[in-house]
Amino acid sequence: MAVDEPTAHDARPDPTGPGARRRRRRRGGGRAPGDPRNIGWLYVLPGLAFYVLFTLAPLLHTVYYSLFDWDGLTGKTWIGLSNYSEALRDEVLRDAFVHSAILIVYYAVFPVIIGLLLTAALTRTVIRGFRFFRTTLFLPQLIAGVVIAQAWTWIYATDGPLNRALELVGLGSLVRPWLGDFTWALPSIGAIGTWVTFGLCMVLFVAGVQKIPTSLYDAARVDGAGPVREFFAVTLPGLRDEILDAFVLTTINALRSFDIVYNTTAGGPGGETLVPSMYMYQNAFLYNRVGYAAAIATVLAITIFVLAGIVLRIGSRGERT
């Protein structure tokens, strides 16, 4: 039997062999002349250096101070985790975290609900002056907290606009010193937080609506969906990521609320509006307990990280389902 002679086509190297893989690696691993291998780090370095110097280093320094008994002036005394054990037993700190949990409802839950309602109203139909309304509602985010606190202190004053308006409409029985009332002081501060943060939520949601395909709205309308059903079937699922971002940002604002509390009630009356950040300030600058204040700051930071992780975890689990 005659054996066929090998042709040029048969003599070509096997494209799947080890030699071919080595040649592909050599071609793919080549870099343009003058292109350094770690050029990307040059772009990351400024932001990374800023983060390390002004975020990570102070945080680690705070943890270091929390291990000492220190008044901020004289020498430090090592006490280990004693400040943390005291924090776990401190009823004042526990009440302060309860107040922060209540403020989360005003800073996070209410603004997200209001932002969703405004987004549904502003994006369903074409509204003249849409950019003006969006900018105006977002404006509180751009105002300093001290200015906001002073303005609302005037509004809540006994002879302020709020009480005068109640008297004009025949609701004089509701007149009260809002920021000095043991029952209404904390909700009054919470209302300020709602006013400040709902514009941020609305801007996030309006931007998120623009990425939802219009074909989904058209399909829902063809199926006979009204405004409410369209909102729950199309808009709300499409804003999942924006809602998570809003919850994380507003929850952090609620736990870090200091400027508004300090400039309105300073934790009063009778500690009814005391929050962890305010309690930390009192221990550091009024009671000269810098080490214990650092422990409170560390506990507060851990709480923020844990809550943010829980919110993001719930959101990622919802995406998988």
Side-chain angles (χ1 to χ4, degrees):
M1 178 182 296
V3 179
D4 295 336
E5 294 291 334
T7 62
H9 175 76
D10 297 331
R12 287 189 305 177
D14 184 6
T16 61
R21 286 196 294 270
R22 286 194 295 270
R23 287 192 296 272
R24 283 197 297 269
R25 282 199 297 269
R26 285 197 297 269
R27 288 196 299 267
R31 297 188 302 273
D35 182 19
R37 176 176 300 179
N38 297 323
I39 187 67
W41 285 103
L42 296 178
Y43 298 99
V44 177
L45 188 59
L48 181 62
F50 187 88
Y51 174 79
V52 171
L53 289 176
F54 297 102
T55 301
L56 187 59
L59 179 61
L60 296 177
H61 214 54
T62 301
V63 176
Y64 170 75
Y65 283 145
S66 69
L67 303 177
F68 292 88
D69 181 14
W70 186 38
D71 61 2
L73 298 174
T74 60
K76 300 186 291 290
T77 302
W78 171 269
I79 57 174
L81 300 177
S82 297
N83 282 327
Y84 293 98
S85 61
E86 180 181 351
L88 294 177
R89 300 189 306 268
D90 193 342
E91 294 184 0
V92 177
L93 181 60
R94 191 178 306 120
D95 291 340
F97 272 104
V98 172
H99 298 158
S100 289
I102 296 173
L103 288 180
I104 288 176
V105 177
Y106 289 94
Y107 273 76
V109 179
F110 290 165
V112 167
I113 295 174
I114 296 173
L116 287 172
L117 294 176
L118 288 174
T119 301
L122 293 175
T123 58
R124 180 169 176 80
T125 58
V126 178
I127 299 177
R128 295 184 59 183
F130 171 74
R131 292 184 178 179
F132 171 78
F133 287 114
R134 183 177 61 183
T135 303
T136 302
L137 295 175
F138 183 74
L139 192 60
Q141 283 287 317
L142 306 178
I143 303 176
V146 176
V147 177
I148 293 173
Q150 294 302 318
W152 279 92
T153 300
W154 169 69
I155 293 172
Y156 283 140
T158 305
D159 57 347
L162 178 58
N163 284 332
R164 289 182 180 179
L166 292 174
E167 291 175 348
L168 287 176
V169 298
L171 297 176
S173 60
L174 298 179
V175 172
R176 66 190 74 244
W178 297 94
L179 295 175
D181 190 281
F182 281 82
T183 303
W184 289 96
L186 188 62
S188 298
I189 292 178
I192 300 174
T194 301
W195 178 77
V196 170
T197 54
F198 83 88
L200 171 64
C201 297
M202 184 205 65
V203 170
L204 288 175
F205 299 155
V206 169
V209 165
Q210 296 175 359
K211 69 178 179 61
I212 300 176
T214 56
S215 59
L216 297 179
Y217 289 101
D218 295 336
R221 291 165 186 167
V222 169
D223 291 340
V228 177
R229 183 181 171 189
E230 181 181 305
F231 174 78
F232 284 100
V234 180
T235 304
L236 199 59
L239 293 177
R240 180 191 301 273
D241 294 338
E242 286 75 16
I243 292 174
L244 288 175
D245 293 339
F247 265 120
V248 171
L249 293 175
T250 53
T251 299
I252 292 174
N253 285 338
L255 293 172
R256 292 172 54 241
S257 58
F258 172 78
D259 48 0
I260 292 178
V261 174
Y262 177 78
N263 289 281
T264 53
T265 63
E272 291 297 322
T273 61
L274 187 67
V275 292
S277 56
M278 186 69 203
Y279 191 46
M280 174 189 65
Y281 166 83
Q282 291 177 349
N283 276 276
F285 297 101
L286 299 182
Y287 310 146
N288 294 327
R289 302 190 62 195
V290 177
Y292 187 55
I296 295 174
T298 304
V299 172
L300 180 59
I302 293 174
T303 303
I304 292 174
F305 292 150
V306 171
L307 287 179
I310 291 174
V311 172
L312 295 176
R313 179 69 175 176
I314 293 174
S316 62
R317 183 177 301 174
E319 288 181 358
R320 289 195 297 267
T321 58

